[in-house]
Amino acid sequence: MDAEEQTALGYVKTTSYQAENIISYEQEDGTTRLFLFSAPVEEGPLSLQGGESNAAFSCDAKFTNITFPSLLHADAPIHISTLGQPIRIFPADQEEHAGRLMERTNAFGQKRQAVQYADLFGKGIHGYCTPTSFGVNIEAVLNERPERDTLQLQVMLPSLFPDTGSPDYILMKNDPNDGEVKSLLYTPLTVDHNGRWNYTSGIRLANKDPASGLYTLEYTLDSSFLDDPNTEYPVTLNQSVFNYLSKQPDTSAYSLTGEVQGYYLSPYALLGDATPKGEGWTYIRFEALNTLNLQADDILSAKYIFHNLFDLPEPAVVGAYAVTADWCSINTRWYNRPTYDDKPVGLVSVQKQGDYELDVTALLREMIKNKGREGAKYSVQNSFLIRCDTPGSNILLASGDNGLYSPCLELIMK
């Protein structure tokens, strides 16, 4: 559930609780409905302005200004500026690509305004660019099996250093050792016409011009998925290029990834014991709870809302479990998972694409009661994990932001 959907429900926005990742609404019965998102959130839907006679289509969001040229080429890139942090996106072929403003449904069933650039990734492979809170979500649509298994774009960034330690994304940092993350380049997700998805495509920096900061991004598609007779075209490649703002800690741990790092900023969470990365659990916390002036007795309900991206062949049960030790969002792996309670605090059956709720009311009240208590078993810092308790399952959930559904914590307060 995103901010646009909350606005559509007709809630009256309040200022009782203020933070960049929080939206609160006054309800008719006098209670407050409070949504804590995983990342800074817009207060309403994003829209593009411009027309055929204009030089560009533009989007002025809360955090980011984005400009899409009506004719994309080497001297007229897509321009992104998030609080002064710039990104420019160019076609890799140095050709001109005409832009057309349209409304379309993306790979996840979201209706969004997008600028279509004809043949952006090669003849007949159009690119669909959608503005998001911090950048651009880009889909390449393959109407048939392409001749090559690679697609390319070019991006220009300030003087930043790439961190390629994660298979899920490339981080661009202001220092090669322990620098701050400034921009992210996501590994793409591949989805066919029937919603069959593949998460083994890759991203790499194929080339860099040190003088200009111009990188060539190369996306490698899984040839076995493209050639699979069960894959129905068109096939969509979904990925994002965006500037980084703070994110509430969550991280996934997978049984087959060993020392591989970096699932904290992944746009997806894989749950189940039949995922491409082995069994997967995801650890979740909202550190904003530490700064909010909440009283446990005022919490009428607390629900974690997540979005299942694709239909499952059979129902699968997802559970929330209280974590009983502190954990690091960056360094948590399968082999060093923190301790947790064996009994779930909430369960929900998942099958169809859509939003689902896990009731964590009792746990959250205990977490709030224990604020400031050193070594408390149930705390904001420890929080909870979600996992799938149905054997043989493979569930793909939205985890990050920037064009996907954002998971959130919904509180009903007196």
Side-chain angles (χ1 to χ4, degrees):
M1 188 177 297
D2 59 23
E4 179 180 351
E5 292 170 311
Q6 310 307 330
T7 303
L9 290 174
Y11 299 133
V12 178
K13 189 172 182 295
T14 73
T15 56
S16 303
Y17 305 92
Q18 296 189 57
E20 63 181 7
N21 64 310
I22 290 175
I23 296 179
S24 59
Y25 301 92
E26 186 76 26
Q27 302 194 110
E28 290 184 358
D29 61 2
T31 60
T32 297
R33 187 181 295 259
L34 180 65
F35 294 92
L36 279 71
F37 288 87
S38 60
V41 63
E42 299 288 338
E43 295 178 6
L46 297 178
S47 61
L48 284 163
Q49 293 80 42
E52 296 300 329
S53 62
N54 293 76
F57 309 100
S58 63
C59 174
D60 295 324
K62 184 176 179 180
F63 309 99
T64 302
N65 298 321
I66 306 169
T67 302
F68 298 95
S70 57
L71 190 64
L72 179 66
H73 55 88
D75 294 322
I78 297 169
H79 185 269
I80 303 165
S81 179
T82 305
L83 303 179
Q85 175 79 10
I87 299 176
R88 292 175 176 85
I89 302 175
F90 303 83
D93 60 11
Q94 306 299 307
E95 300 294 330
E96 294 183 344
H97 300 271
R100 179 168 71 94
L101 182 62
M102 62 189 302
E103 183 176 85
R104 68 184 294 269
T105 301
N106 66 15
F108 311 107
Q110 295 170 303
K111 288 186 177 180
R112 294 288 187 267
Q113 278 189 312
V115 178
Q116 178 206 65
Y117 287 111
D119 302 328
L120 179 60
F121 295 98
K123 186 174 177 56
I125 306 177
H126 304 326
Y128 298 87
C129 302
T130 303
T132 66
S133 298
F134 319 122
V136 177
N137 186 249
I138 304 172
E139 290 194 336
V141 177
L142 313 174
N143 291 308
E144 59 186 11
R145 174 65 163 92
E147 293 181 4
R148 297 185 302 173
D149 294 344
T150 57
L151 304 177
Q152 291 187 337
L153 277 178
Q154 289 188 325
V155 298
M156 184 179 289
L157 298 161
S159 181
L160 298 173
F161 301 89
D163 179 343
T164 58
S166 168
D168 286 0
Y169 46 73
I170 296 174
L171 302 183
M172 303 303 298
K173 298 181 176 181
N174 61 2
D175 184 274
N177 298 315
D178 195 25
E180 295 179 6
V181 177
K182 294 297 183 180
S183 302
L184 278 91
L185 314 170
Y186 273 152
T187 297
L189 178 75
T190 311
V191 185
D192 83 347
H193 181 68
N194 291 328
R196 291 180 65 247
W197 55 269
N198 175 273
Y199 197 26
T200 55
S201 297
I203 183 174
R204 74 182 186 97
L205 300 178
N207 191 28
K208 178 190 175 183
D209 179 355
S212 65
L214 183 65
Y215 292 84
T216 297
L217 302 183
E218 186 168 88
Y219 306 106
T220 302
L221 289 67
D222 186 333
S223 59
S224 62
F225 181 78
L226 297 180
D227 294 331
D228 190 330
N230 293 316
T231 297
E232 182 172 338
Y233 287 83
V235 167
T236 299
L237 202 74
N238 182 285
Q239 58 86 45
S240 295
V241 174
F242 67 104
N243 286 314
Y244 174 75
L245 291 184
S246 61
K247 179 175 180 285
Q248 295 284 299
D250 67 54
T251 194
S252 294
Y254 301 104
S255 63
L256 298 182
T257 55
E259 294 288 344
V260 174
Q261 66 180 20
Y263 297 108
Y264 165 41
L265 295 176
S266 173
Y268 312 108
L270 288 163
L271 300 186
D273 61 6
T275 78
K277 301 172 184 178
E279 187 169 0
W281 300 1
T282 295
Y283 296 82
I284 295 157
R285 64 172 171 244
F286 291 88
E287 290 183 344
L289 293 170
N290 277 320
T291 59
L292 291 172
N293 184 22
L294 302 180
Q295 303 300 317
D297 292 341
D298 291 338
I299 300 173
L300 300 178
S301 73
K303 296 177 182 177
Y304 179 69
I305 301 174
F306 63 89
H307 190 88
N308 176 37
L309 288 169
F310 298 104
D311 292 348
L312 304 176
E314 300 291 339
V317 173
V318 173
Y321 294 79
V323 177
T324 55
D326 194 3
W327 49 275
C328 173
S329 58
I330 298 172
N331 296 323
T332 296
R333 308 283 191 274
W334 188 256
Y335 61 81
N336 65 358
R337 289 168 292 161
T339 56
Y340 65 97
D341 284 349
D342 291 334
K343 184 178 179 180
V345 296
L347 295 169
V348 64
S349 179
V350 173
Q351 184 172 15
K352 295 295 184 181
Q353 178 190 65
D355 287 335
Y356 292 86
E357 300 175 345
L358 281 165
D359 192 321
V360 293
T361 306
L363 174 61
L364 194 77
R365 286 176 181 152
E366 287 299 311
M367 289 162 52
I368 297 301
K369 286 179 183 177
N370 290 331
K371 282 174 64 173
R373 296 181 183 175
E374 198 72 31
K377 184 178 181 181
Y378 304 114
S379 69
V380 172
Q381 204 65 17
N382 299 349
S383 198
F384 62 93
L385 65 87
I386 58 173
R387 73 180 197 192
C388 183
D389 291 334
T390 301
S393 60
N394 188 341
I395 305 176
L396 188 74
L397 309 180
S399 173
D401 197 46
N402 202 56
L404 303 180
Y405 299 84
S406 295
C408 65
L409 182 68
E410 178 203 70
L411 305 181
I412 306 295
M413 308 293 299
K414 289 182 183 177

